Amino acid sequence: AHKTQNCFLEIFIKGKQNAMGMKNTIIKNVNPDSSISTIRLDSHSSLKNLKIDSNRHNRTGTDTGVGIGTVAGVEDIHLEEVWSTGAPYDAFLFEGSDFVFERCIAEDTGDDGFNSMTVDGWILSDCIARNCSHDGFHLHNNPKNIAVTGCLSYSNGDNGLKISYTTGNSAENIVVDGCIFHDNTNRGVVIERNSTHCVIANSIVYNNTGYGMQIEGIDNIIEACHVFDNNLAGNEWGIYVKGTRNKVSDCVLANNKLYSYDGIDLNIDGCQVYSHDIHFSADPSNLKTGLTIKNCKVMDGKIIVTRCNYSEVKNNYIENSPGYGIHLANSCGYARIEENEIMNAGSYGIYIDSSS
């Protein structure tokens, strides 16, 4: 293996060149007190089997260097088994389209692990972000057409995965599948408001200090996920959903709530919640319309619907609720409750407030 250390070094890969020949290479202690990238890529470039150790803990002064970055607006980048550790800023900082990251690792950064701006057509497969000072994965400035599959993000200083937007735009067509997010200081996964056609599926989210999952926007889906023991301050928020025509299906939550606020035409189907509630709520000044909760199982918890018109609660099984099994509260109207089985409720099986 080759080793280059204690260097003022930037490698700039441009055009259709590549660094595939840099196998089993370690670049260590590069760019002290610098704002440039250790490796900076132009379009049509690739890296494989490379480790960069930026050694941020032994630097002094203001340092915003990144491990691997790009010039603005590049395309067609392929990174495979690239490991960036100790970057003073981000391990990977990219802007452009048609990128592929396979089995890459970001760790011990001064900011994000994988950071992208204004990206379109990305694949992140089997990548790891750990012990980063901010987000493990951060896709922002209107990301589109992104697949994050088989990735692991844990012990980061903020979110495991954050997908954000700029005012007037949105995140679109994001798929997060088969990933694990745990022990992050804030949320496991957050897809911010104005997101559309995003999917979180087959993922495991646990022991994060904030929400397990937070998704806001239109026509988004959370399905077949396992969410448990998030928000250590009170284990309130496992899944938080806000927006229009969103769907949560076939998820399992333990010691966490499935919660929606100000949703319209929300569909919750086939979920299991243990030791907590399914809870829909809306702003006191603004009743919401359209809610379906069906085919769900709630153990040691209840279903609560607050300030919603035209709701349907159907074919659910609720057992050992500490209070009411199903509770319609605060001005609900036009509700349909049918074919539910409620066992061993602590108080009434079904309770409808006088205002509903």
Side-chain angles (χ1 to χ4, degrees):
H2 306 289
K3 182 179 288 187
T4 302
Q5 63 179 4
N6 300 321
C7 298
F8 292 87
L9 172 68
E10 179 185 46
I11 299 171
F12 181 32
I13 299 174
K14 182 177 175 59
K16 294 188 177 181
Q17 305 175 67
N18 65 72
M20 298 294 283
M22 296 176 65
K23 283 192 172 184
N24 304 317
T25 298
I26 300 173
I27 301 174
K28 188 173 183 182
N29 297 3
V30 294
N31 293 336
D33 304 315
S34 171
S35 62
I36 62 176
S37 307
T38 301
I39 293 180
R40 188 161 55 102
L41 303 176
D42 204 345
S43 294
H44 314 296
S45 301
S46 60
L47 294 172
K48 185 176 181 179
N49 295 347
L50 175 67
K51 180 176 180 179
I52 299 169
D53 184 353
S54 300
N55 199 23
R56 71 185 178 93
H57 298 290
N58 290 330
R59 299 186 179 197
T60 60
T62 302
D63 194 336
T64 57
V66 302
I68 300 175
T70 63
V71 294
V74 302
E75 61 182 11
D76 185 23
I77 301 291
H78 187 184
L79 275 66
E80 182 178 354
E81 296 179 1
V82 176
W83 184 355
S84 178
T85 184
Y89 194 56
D90 302 322
F92 300 89
L93 176 59
F94 285 75
E95 179 180 355
S97 60
D98 299 323
F99 288 14
V100 177
F101 295 81
E102 296 182 273
R103 299 181 299 282
C104 295
I105 298 174
E107 67 175 3
D108 189 28
T109 68
D111 206 302
D112 296 330
F114 295 82
N115 187 1
S116 70
M117 298 180 289
T118 317
V119 296
D120 188 347
W122 273 40
I123 297 173
L124 296 105
S125 176
D126 300 314
C127 295
I128 299 173
R130 61 192 178 207
N131 299 314
C132 300
S133 296
H134 200 237
D135 299 323
F137 297 85
H138 187 189
L139 312 178
H140 59 106
N141 288 16
N142 316 314
K144 298 178 181 180
N145 307 313
I146 310 296
V148 182
T149 63
C151 291
L152 173 62
S153 184
Y154 65 93
S155 298
N156 298 295
D158 202 347
N159 304 291
L161 167 66
K162 182 178 181 180
I163 297 174
S164 56
Y165 77 110
T166 56
T167 302
N169 293 285
S170 65
E172 298 179 15
N173 301 322
I174 312 294
V175 175
V176 179
D177 191 3
C179 296
I180 300 174
F181 305 94
H182 70 88
D183 290 285
N184 297 290
T185 302
N186 196 352
R187 296 159 292 191
V189 181
V190 54
I191 302 180
E192 289 191 337
R193 56 190 180 277
N194 293 344
S195 62
T196 180
H197 298 105
C198 298
V199 177
I200 306 174
N202 305 305
S203 294
I204 300 172
V205 183
Y206 66 94
N207 213 38
N208 299 286
T209 304
Y211 301 113
M213 295 182 181
Q214 177 181 347
I215 187 166
E216 304 182 22
I218 301 172
D219 294 319
N220 300 301
I221 295 172
I222 301 174
E223 64 181 7
C225 293
H226 284 68
V227 181
F228 55 94
D229 293 335
N230 296 286
N231 193 346
L232 303 184
N235 293 82
E236 277 290 301
W237 314 117
I239 296 177
Y240 174 93
V241 183
K242 182 177 181 179
T244 302
R245 296 191 306 275
N246 295 305
K247 183 176 181 179
V248 184
S249 65
D250 301 315
C251 292
V252 179
L253 293 85
N255 204 27
N256 273 167
K257 179 185 291 186
L258 198 170
Y259 180 72
S260 177
Y261 184 76
D262 271 0
I264 298 174
D265 293 331
L266 172 67
N267 187 344
I268 299 173
D269 189 355
C271 293
Q272 301 177 48
V273 179
Y274 297 89
S275 301
H276 228 306
D277 307 326
I278 297 175
H279 187 183
F280 177 93
S281 184
D283 187 279
S285 64
N286 188 12
L287 285 173
K288 296 300 180 181
T289 60
L291 167 69
T292 301
I293 302 174
K294 63 182 181 180
N295 306 318
C296 293
K297 180 179 181 180
V298 181
M299 301 293 293
D300 303 305
K302 54 189 174 293
I303 294 176
I304 311 168
V305 179
T306 306
R307 290 184 291 272
C308 181
N309 283 331
Y310 300 100
S311 61
E312 180 182 36
V313 182
K314 182 177 181 179
N315 197 33
N316 300 288
Y317 180 85
I318 304 162
E319 184 175 343
N320 294 332
S321 171
Y324 314 125
I326 298 173
H327 185 191
L328 300 187
N330 297 339
S331 303
C332 291
Y334 308 99
R336 186 180 184 93
I337 302 174
E338 61 179 340
E339 300 179 15
N340 298 284
E341 184 175 356
I342 303 170
M343 303 289 292
N344 300 324
S347 183
Y348 300 107
I350 298 173
Y351 183 78
I352 302 173
D353 283 2
S354 60
S355 61
S356 296

